[in-house]
Amino acid sequence: GICIGLHPLRHQTPYSIREAILALDQAVLTEEATELLLTIDAKSQQPTVLPTPEEIEAVRNYVASKQDLDLLDDASKFLVAVHDVPHLKDRLTLHQFRTGFTECVDALHEALNTMSTALHQVRNSKSFASILLLVLKTGNVLNDGTARGDARGFRMSTLMQLSNLKQVEPAQQARDPAQSRDASPRQNSGGGRKLTLA
């Protein structure tokens, strides 16, 4: 994992990486390199490149023993170089935030401009206002005779329920001709379809 994480820094020595971390050098610590250095294992939630507490302790003991560092492999040399960097993870996290700050701000500006434009169009659209008025009138017709039948407004979330409107066919006319003739004009009037909320 360490060698993979150090791939973008393969042309740097372990101690030049250390100096770049101490100086937060953007020329060396690119956005990609910083992201890889901060990689966390999904299962153990332990860093895959930066030294763990156990590795730091092991490195300290190795350095204290004054053994030959040249005998170590590249991954171990990296651990030796950075194990005592103050606030190592916090420094890299801050550096990552700094390198991506401008891009993040630009993305937020774009999103805010889009929202502002949309709100302006909604507030000044006569067509949209007409549609809302039509929805209000339709709702009052559907709710006629109920407590909601004379509404003067509605929540915008109600618009999501418009897809639930459906046509309800009138009940089939009674087969008995006598019943059909006796039906009052009021019962037969408006014998078309009726809209209702499902």
Side-chain angles (χ1 to χ4, degrees), residues 6 8-17 20 27-28:
L6 293 177
L9 300 169
R10 59 190 178 277
H11 300 303
Q12 303 289 331
T13 67
Y15 281 94
S16 66
I17 297 175
V28 177

Side-chain angles (χ1 to χ4, degrees), residues 1-2 4-5 35-52 55 89:
I2 295 178
I4 295 175
E35 182 178 354
L36 287 173
L37 287 173
L38 289 170
T39 301
I40 299 294
D41 182 76
K43 293 184 178 180
S44 65
Q45 294 299 307
Q46 291 288 330
T48 57
V49 180
L50 299 182
T52 63
E55 289 171 336
K89 181 181 177 182

Side-chain angles (χ1 to χ4, degrees), residues 162-181:
L162 293 180
S163 60
N164 295 330
L165 281 173
K166 66 179 182 179
Q167 292 181 335
V168 177
E169 298 291 345
Q172 289 185 349
Q173 194 175 27
R175 294 181 179 179
D176 188 348
Q179 291 181 356
S180 177
R181 288 194 301 270

Side-chain angles (χ1 to χ4, degrees), residues 12 27 67 69 97 123 128 131 142 166 168 177 182 192 194:
Q12 303 289 331
Q67 298 185 52
L69 300 180
F97 174 78
R123 296 185 78 179
F128 186 62
I131 292 174
L142 293 177
K166 66 179 182 179
V168 177
D182 292 340
K194 181 174 68 174

Side-chain angles (χ1 to χ4, degrees), residues 12-108:
Q12 303 289 331
T13 67
Y15 281 94
S16 66
I17 297 175
R18 171 191 172 87
E19 293 302 317
I21 294 174
L22 288 171
L24 297 180
D25 186 351
Q26 295 189 46
V28 177
L29 297 176
T30 62
E31 187 173 353
E32 178 191 6
T34 305
E35 182 178 354
L36 287 173
L37 287 173
L38 289 170
T39 301
I40 299 294
D41 182 76
K43 293 184 178 180
S44 65
Q45 294 299 307
Q46 291 288 330
T48 57
V49 180
L50 299 182
T52 63
E54 293 78 11
E55 289 171 336
I56 291 176
E57 184 64 26
V59 168
R60 285 175 178 168
N61 294 333
Y62 187 88
V63 172
S65 68
K66 298 182 179 181
Q67 298 185 52
D68 189 358
L69 300 180
D70 291 333
L71 299 176
L72 299 175
D73 57 21
D74 291 340
S76 298
K77 289 179 180 178
F78 169 76
L79 295 179
V80 171
V82 303
H83 81 282
D84 59 347
V85 173
H87 310 292
L88 175 58
K89 181 181 177 182
D90 293 337
R91 294 177 71 86
L92 289 171
T93 302
L94 176 61
H95 179 69
Q96 183 182 44
F97 174 78
R98 185 177 69 170
T99 56
F101 181 76
T102 300
E103 182 179 351
C104 181
V105 169
D106 289 342
L108 288 175

